[in-house]
Amino acid sequence: GFYDVVPFQNRLVVFRSDGVEHQVMPSLRRERMALTIWFYGSVNTISSSVTTKAHEYRIPPVLPSSSSSIPKSSTENASMNKQDSGGPPPLCVDVDNVELLNHCKEAKIFVSIAAYRDTELGPTLKSLMDNAQSSQRIFVGVVLQIDTSPTTGTKTPTTPLAENNVDTKIWETLPSDQPWFHKQVRMITMDAKHAQGPCYARYLCQTLWRDEEYVLQIDSHMRFRRNWDTYLIHQLLSIDAKATSSDGGAGDKTTNIHITTPPRTMLTAYPVGYTLPNTIPNETRGTLLVPWKFDKNGMLRQKGRLLESPRTSKDDASVIPCYLYAAGFNFARCHIIQDCPYDGELRHLFFGEEMSMAVRLYCKGYDLFAPTESVVYHLWSRTHRPTASSAQPLPREEEEQKMQQKKASHEKVMRQLCGSEDSVRNASQFATVLGANFDNHTIQADAELGRLSPEAFASDKSFLGVATTARTTSSPDRANNTTAQTVPTLDIRAQNLISAFLGSM
């Protein structure tokens, strides 16, 4: 559809011309005068070979969802899927219904990635495409926050990039030699010094969506199991089928499943970790997000707990309700972008991004679930990249404005958690099912088990004695949230440091 803007006197229309389809209509009744102002920014070309009409006109490449792609050959797949050693087996999708199987293999997926000066962006894109069962249906929206100063991030014939620079490496490791990169990756590039936190970056990512049926949001440092795309769609459809059949289609009141049309369901989790350069563990068990503690500012922190064993989709107990949200890995139908889009007004918000989305999704009637197996792997260490918190200080007035925006964002999330959101369900119900009291900052005893029995999770030794590190992402939100993982390549020094960290908690 479209919206007509009537040309009244003194009316100002402001929008991103690269992201909003628009047309200036003829004026048939009277003469019209118009003043158009163009704001130019620095657009980075990756190499002389990466030139499209969009680049020539200084706008990010925004392609329609009907764009075709060139399928990869088996040789190309084999050469780009190499990892250091071992690794998990492919995800298995056992579908008897031919129509359902075709949908799982053909439905388009939009992947949202917000990246802040992350050299793992290129390898993440490669892993995403190489391990998809049907890579031609994957479309990616990237917001690349990078240093664009003349000697670092801007690559032009007259100003070469500085040697051994983080931002130089980002450009060099992007898979620009792959046909799908030009046809299936849409990118907005902005100077890192203008970054305003993960919420704003992810909000910009969502403007690159072009009607794909499913939406996957990930961090910019991930690795994927083979067949991840078909598996996620099948998991989501399986959850909907089970929920619809519960109580004759009315929903399962014991797990607060609220059936809607179209179904409002999401898969989300803190993934098990991998290590650089490309060591992916054999771990296939899933994780469940649970409340952890309230910080000094009254914000609830969360952590991931490793489940005892992989669960199969045929197991009646495989559906695990999850009331918390992981910004670095979540998968849902495209309606979520319209029902509960990212709030672009939450600027410089790091702790609070996930809690805001969790309560908003709950109030909108969305039900979140933990995947039954590990689907992706996350790089928990952030030593390979700069973070927003380590950036050069801003001028005093800009820094004060930043702090004011951060405070306003935090206050907005606290209002959401204490009851300002009310639609299908309300914030009070969210607090009840979660087992957390946002007024007196307490957590119920069974909340850290996700309302499951202790036997549902890996042993204490597995959870505490392995790589449990600060939660980091393409934006440094969610630090100190933890996910249990088994990484056999850790050396003794690393294990001792982790044990000392855990012992001080």
Side-chain angles (χ1 to χ4, degrees):
F2 60 88
Y3 183 81
D4 277 330
V5 180
V6 180
F8 285 126
Q9 184 178 5
N10 294 327
R11 171 169 286 174
L12 174 67
V13 179
V14 181
F15 57 91
R16 280 186 61 109
S17 59
D18 61 330
V20 179
E21 294 183 357
H22 59 282
Q23 179 183 9
V24 179
M25 305 300 292
S27 177
L28 303 177
R29 298 179 59 187
R30 58 178 62 90
E31 292 185 0
R32 177 180 61 197
M33 297 179 64
L35 174 65
T36 302
I37 300 176
W38 294 91
F39 291 91
Y40 288 96
S42 175
V43 173
N44 305 280
T45 53
I46 301 161
S47 68
S48 58
S49 63
V50 183
T51 55
T52 65
K53 193 160 187 174
H55 282 107
E56 292 169 8
Y57 285 92
R58 302 175 69 83
I59 61 176
V62 179
L63 306 177
S65 60
S66 59
S67 298
S68 60
S69 65
I70 302 174
K72 302 192 298 285
S73 66
S74 58
T75 303
E76 181 183 338
N77 274 328
S79 64
M80 296 189 66
N81 270 310
K82 293 180 180 179
Q83 61 186 52
D84 289 355
S85 62
L91 288 156
C92 180
V93 180
D94 186 7
V95 183
D96 298 327
N97 185 299
V98 175
E99 183 178 357
L100 175 61
L101 180 61
N102 289 337
H103 174 79
C104 290
K105 289 184 176 181
E106 296 172 3
K108 293 183 175 64
I109 300 175
F110 173 72
V111 183
S112 170
I113 307 177
Y116 183 90
R117 304 187 68 190
D118 192 350
T119 55
E120 279 292 283
L121 173 61
T124 295
L125 290 171
K126 291 179 183 178
S127 180
L128 174 82
M129 289 295 189
D130 293 345
N131 291 296
Q133 188 169 27
S134 305
S135 62
Q136 70 276 5
R137 49 88 168 267
I138 310 300
F139 295 87
V140 187
V142 177
V143 170
L144 178 57
Q145 301 160 99
I146 195 170
D147 184 356
T148 60
S149 58
T151 58
T152 53
T154 304
K155 188 173 183 179
T156 68
T158 57
T159 55
L161 291 170
E163 295 296 327
N164 302 319
N165 179 268
V166 168
D167 303 281
T168 304
K169 187 176 180 181
I170 293 171
W171 288 122
E172 292 175 345
T173 56
L174 286 177
S176 55
D177 59 333
Q178 300 300 311
W180 52 259
F181 183 80
H182 311 289
K183 295 178 178 291
Q184 295 166 248
V185 177
R186 309 154 189 163
M187 187 177 294
I188 294 175
T189 303
M190 62 185 297
D191 197 301
K193 65 175 174 286
H194 299 312
Q196 300 192 47
C199 295
Y200 182 67
R202 298 192 203 277
Y203 159 78
L204 290 178
C205 282
Q206 291 184 342
T207 67
L208 298 174
W209 169 65
R210 296 294 179 267
D211 298 323
E212 291 83 9
E213 293 96 321
Y214 294 91
V215 176
L216 171 66
Q217 180 173 288
I218 60 171
D219 282 339
S220 54
H221 30 269
M222 310 286 279
R223 296 292 184 269
F224 288 76
R225 282 181 71 181
R226 188 72 63 87
N227 304 333
W228 65 266
D229 50 336
T230 303
Y231 178 84
L232 284 176
I233 294 176
H234 183 248
Q235 275 276 294
L236 204 64
L237 296 178
S238 298
I239 290 171
D240 294 339
K242 290 181 180 181
T244 304
S245 62
S246 300
D247 293 342
D252 185 348
K253 297 180 178 58
T254 62
T255 58
N256 287 275
I257 295 176
H258 183 85
I259 304 306
T260 58
T261 305
R264 296 180 178 180
T265 49
M266 171 183 281
L267 293 167
T268 189
Y270 277 176
V272 171
Y274 74 93
T275 57
L276 291 174
N278 201 34
T279 302
I280 305 172
N282 292 320
E283 182 62 80
T284 60
R285 291 177 290 184
T287 65
L288 178 66
L289 285 168
V290 297
W292 179 29
K293 66 178 182 179
F294 284 91
D295 65 18
K296 63 181 181 180
N297 297 314
M299 188 63 69
L300 179 64
R301 303 289 183 85
Q302 60 192 40
K303 63 183 178 182
R305 298 201 64 173
L306 187 67
L307 296 168
E308 175 58 33
S309 61
R311 295 162 175 255
T312 64
S313 59
K314 293 185 177 181
D315 181 1
D316 290 338
S318 63
V319 175
I320 307 176
C322 174
Y323 302 107
L324 294 170
Y325 168 89
F329 171 64
N330 55 81
F331 182 78
R333 286 175 176 76
C334 64
H335 311 287
I336 192 171
I337 291 181
Q338 295 146 330
D339 295 339
C340 193
Y342 253 77
D343 187 350
E345 296 301 316
L346 293 179
R347 306 295 175 94
H348 307 290
L349 179 71
F350 299 105
F351 298 119
E353 173 195 0
E354 292 172 318
M355 292 308 303
S356 173
M357 286 299 294
V359 67
R360 290 179 60 214
L361 286 167
Y362 184 87
C363 292
K364 295 289 185 181
Y366 275 82
D367 293 297
L368 280 54
F369 298 88
T372 55
E373 292 188 57
S374 287
V375 182
V376 297
Y377 299 85
H378 184 279
L379 181 60
W380 296 100
S381 169
R382 56 183 177 184
T383 57
H384 71 288
R385 60 185 174 87
T387 62
S389 60
S390 63
Q392 291 291 330
L394 296 171
R396 181 177 176 181
E397 289 185 3
E398 293 184 34
E399 191 66 30
E400 289 177 353
Q401 182 183 30
K402 176 182 176 180
M403 291 299 101
Q404 291 174 358
Q405 291 176 332
K406 181 177 181 179
K407 180 181 178 182
S409 298
H410 183 274
E411 291 173 348
K412 184 174 184 178
V413 175
M414 296 306 295
R415 289 195 301 270
Q416 291 171 344
L417 293 170
C418 293
S420 64
E421 290 272 345
D422 193 349
S423 182
V424 177
R425 299 176 291 205
N426 59 50
S428 177
Q429 292 172 311
F430 171 73
T432 299
V433 298
L434 182 62
N437 188 312
F438 293 98
D439 292 322
N440 59 26
H441 301 166
T442 57
I443 300 173
Q444 294 180 10
D446 62 344
E448 286 199 43
L449 297 175
R451 309 294 192 185
L452 302 179
S453 66
E455 291 74 22
F457 299 97
S459 66
D460 288 343
K461 182 177 180 180
S462 297
F463 180 66
L464 296 176
V466 297
T468 308
T469 62
R471 170 75 170 112
T472 59
T473 181
S474 53
S475 52
D477 193 9
R478 310 187 300 282
N480 295 326
N481 296 332
T482 57
T483 297
Q485 54 178 300
T486 302
V487 183
T489 57
L490 286 177
D491 58 25
I492 298 300
R493 182 184 178 190
Q495 294 181 32
N496 291 338
L497 287 171
I498 291 166
S499 298
F501 169 75
L502 292 171
S504 64
M505 292 171 58

